[in-house]
Amino acid sequence: MKEDFLSVVEAKRFLGREFLTWLLFRVEEDGGRLQVGDDVVELALGDRVVLEDPGEHKARLTLVDEGDMRTELGAGFRRGKLMDRARLALTRAERRFELTLDGGLLTFDSLACPKLGERDASLRDDPRAAFENDLFLRLADVEEVTGIFDRLFAEFCQLRVSARWASETLPELRAWIANLE
């Protein structure tokens, strides 16, 4: 029997939501500085988070605040809601990206990249070359951000299937959620 694609996607949404929750946990535990391969990046929770019930009713809790959302997050988690979407700020070296990550589908709903900076003087007289240059720079930005999240997701997946998940990480996550006040 062939499974319907949308049914498979719906059944696997938990993995991306767990990833997003684990990521927020890591941000809090590591002070926002994460080792990603050979790089150190800074990750911070932005001003918007969506938690959702995993059941049929799909009740959502949307938190919008530029301050500390720990109390509201903790209340939502303790009521059984899962992290569905979050606005995040990612800084690598001097470059800052802002994005919205959909944990249920593991997609970027938005991505704001740093300004491109000064153009090469030789591109001023050729609008097409300037456009292509800007396009390639933006594609490199997207590749940079997706590469970082790919490596973080790979780290999460390796941990998720290991014995450490049940013995160490899950108890740490539960204690962290219990202390979100």
Side-chain angles (χ1 to χ4, degrees), residues 7-165:
S7 298
V8 172
V9 168
E10 190 61 36
K12 306 299 181 197
R13 285 175 89 80
F14 77 92
L15 189 60
R17 290 172 171 169
E18 284 183 7
F19 167 64
L20 197 48
T21 304
W22 171 81
L23 199 55
L24 180 57
F25 165 71
R26 288 273 316 273
V27 164
E28 289 230 344
E29 292 298 302
D30 297 338
R33 294 180 59 82
L34 304 175
Q35 185 75 36
V36 181
D38 295 333
D39 292 326
V40 174
V41 299
E42 291 184 26
L43 194 62
L45 184 63
D47 63 351
R48 184 178 177 90
V49 175
V50 178
L51 301 171
E52 184 176 275
D53 280 332
E56 285 182 29
H57 299 297
K58 306 269 186 237
R60 286 188 172 174
L61 172 64
T62 302
L63 306 174
V64 180
D65 191 352
E66 291 187 24
D68 186 5
M69 292 188 268
R70 292 174 49 85
T71 302
E72 293 83 3
L73 278 170
F77 285 139
R78 287 188 291 275
R79 284 186 281 167
K81 293 187 182 336
L82 301 174
M83 185 167 276
D84 187 58
R85 190 170 295 117
R87 196 168 291 158
L88 303 167
L90 171 73
T91 305
R92 180 174 179 236
E94 299 297 319
R95 307 191 72 224
R96 179 181 167 92
F97 301 87
E98 294 184 13
L99 59 117
T100 301
L101 182 62
D102 182 325
L105 296 175
L106 280 176
T107 59
F108 296 103
D109 287 350
S110 66
L111 174 60
C113 300
K115 291 187 179 188
L116 289 176
E118 293 296 317
R119 278 201 178 125
D120 184 343
S122 65
L123 298 176
R124 285 195 185 122
D125 296 332
D126 188 350
R128 181 180 172 141
F131 172 78
E132 288 175 356
N133 182 65
D134 292 351
L135 177 63
F136 287 126
L137 290 172
R138 280 298 173 224
L139 289 173
D141 286 342
V142 171
E143 187 175 315
E144 180 178 351
V145 171
T146 56
I148 290 168
F149 278 92
D150 284 350
R151 289 191 301 275
L152 287 168
F153 187 66
E155 179 185 340
F156 167 75
C157 288
Q158 288 174 344
L159 177 62
R160 183 66 175 82
V161 298
S162 74
R164 283 186 40 225
W165 179 259

